[in-house]
Amino acid sequence: MTGTNSTSPNYVIVTDQYWDGLADNPLGATEIRVENGNITAIATTVDHSNAEIIELKGHTVTPGFIDCHVHITFCEGDPTIPENPYMVTVPLMTLYSLNPLKILLMNGFTTVREVGCPDPEFITVDLKKAIAKGWIIGPDLLVAPHLISAQGGHGDFTSLVAFQFRPEKFEVADGTAEIIRIVREEIRSGADWIKFCATGGFSSPTDDPSQTTYSQEEMNILVSTAKDFGISACPHAYGGEGVQRAVNAGVRSIEHGNLASSETLQLMEQKGVYLVPTQYTVLEKARNANNPEYWQNRSPWQHAKYQKYASQLIACADNLAKSNVKIAFGTDAGTFPHIDNWKEFPAMVQNGITPLRALKAATTVAAELLMQPNIGALAVGKFADIIAMPGNPFEDINVTGKVDFVMKRGVIYKQPSGGQV
């Protein structure tokens, strides 16, 4: 299996239910012809000549899913990987990434945006290249290599590592001159996106998610420096002030935003800024804030913060469902086991987001956010990123966790018979 289009045979996918990523409902029976990694025909009947026929009866065929917020070098919750992710070597962290990459692809996620590695090296840039060359198996990657942070902010990991590590190694930058240098270094080294901390967070021990950790001037210069190179920014931001500053600085998406008020969401809507709400992990913790058993093997600082903000997090999820903000699917997988990233779908629906909006968030809306016109929809000329699941996700969103057919760029990686690479 090379993972390259040049060696892909032609296929005709036959299904009695498909959804193109755009329609309000599934569109019924169809056939999809795939040639050289691209979709070349979609119709009730297509040309079968010189093609392998793939029968997917009883399935719903959809575009490959897109997860806009993952951490492939984190493996939190995986009992086979107990080491502190901030203390392991570059080769070990790279090896840790290989299984999560395969897991995400087998879950039906044919493209993911990787939004920050805690190591000073550019691991994810090299992993992206390795996937593109077919050396390793995984989704197509777009990468924000590191999390740019103010000292004492969410991305300043020095409180979690030995003091011989200098903060600069972890992309800590204060003031406009340092910020400009760090942004340019990230882009020079292969960044597709620039990630920065607009606020504190829940998982870090020394800050608070309501704190705004960069000034408006610092955010402005960070975002504008990236834009000069044609690169967009996607800040980690929870609290309203941090979200507002980031939006006013011109970011393309907000990551998390789970403490944003209705007024802040309206500002995002007016500015056309996407929200990647990572609701599964955030709301699960919020709803278990006063459950001591849930927190037995989790950090005490996270527990204290979720106890403080639980009611606000739940209220803000309701506000998001009632808003018209453009929601793009993202999970924060890596801060919980990657195998569970599909659970973002039922979490969104549980929190009042319709199945259609949730499914579009992981297909067409995600592709729009990532500025990737060749993915996110089933249409002639698009990449053949195609998945299938038994049942109908519009009727039962949980079937998104049962994906048993995965094709990326015309290469089959998983089939209902149980075969996978």
Side-chain angles (χ1 to χ4, degrees), residues 404-420:
D404 58 5
F405 176 82
V406 178
M407 172 185 283
K408 187 188 79 167
R409 303 285 188 101
V411 176
I412 297 172
Y413 290 88
K414 187 177 185 181
Q415 299 193 65
S417 61
Q420 59 177 263

Side-chain angles (χ1 to χ4, degrees), residues 89-291:
T89 63
V90 171
L92 193 56
M93 189 175 287
T94 305
L95 290 171
Y96 284 173
S97 303
L98 301 183
N99 193 48
L101 284 167
K102 185 173 181 180
I103 286 170
L104 290 168
L105 181 61
M106 298 309 159
N107 275 9
F109 290 81
T110 51
T111 300
V112 303
R113 182 176 60 172
E114 215 291 339
V115 288
C117 172
D119 191 275
E121 301 298 330
F122 288 81
I123 295 173
T124 57
V125 174
D126 290 336
L127 288 169
K128 171 187 172 180
K129 294 175 182 176
I131 291 170
K133 290 180 179 291
W135 297 343
I136 60 175
I137 293 169
D140 287 337
L141 287 184
L142 296 164
V143 300
H146 300 104
L147 182 53
I148 301 171
S149 174
Q151 291 197 58
H154 180 65
D156 182 353
F157 303 125
T158 50
S159 62
L160 297 172
V161 299
F163 282 102
Q164 69 264 27
F165 289 92
R166 297 184 63 197
E168 289 80 6
K169 285 190 174 183
F170 296 101
E171 306 299 355
V172 172
D174 293 319
T176 57
E178 284 189 19
I179 287 169
I180 291 170
R181 181 186 65 80
I182 288 290
V183 170
R184 289 173 178 170
E185 179 183 85
E186 291 283 292
I187 294 170
R188 178 188 66 186
S189 301
D192 300 303
W193 285 78
I194 293 295
K195 175 101 177 279
F196 71 94
C197 290
T199 72
F202 285 94
S203 61
S204 44
T206 59
D207 54 47
D208 187 275
S210 66
Q211 294 171 344
T212 306
T213 50
Y214 271 134
S215 69
Q216 187 69 66
E217 180 186 15
E218 288 172 315
M219 290 194 204
N220 289 348
I221 197 68
L222 191 156
V223 175
S224 65
T225 300
K227 281 188 174 180
D228 285 344
F229 287 86
I231 302 293
S232 296
C234 54
H236 161 107
Y238 282 104
E241 178 62 28
V243 173
Q244 289 178 26
R245 288 187 194 178
V247 169
N248 288 326
V251 301
R252 187 165 176 82
S253 71
I254 294 291
E255 308 303 303
H256 311 301
N258 305 95
L259 295 173
S261 66
S262 295
E263 292 74 22
T264 300
L265 293 173
Q266 287 174 7
L267 176 65
M268 292 181 62
E269 184 182 339
Q270 292 165 8
K271 299 280 190 178
V273 176
Y274 296 78
L275 180 63
V276 182
T278 63
Q279 289 191 331
Y280 166 66
T281 183
V282 171
L283 273 297
E284 180 189 45
K285 292 180 175 69
R287 293 189 175 107
N288 282 281
N290 295 313
N291 177 4

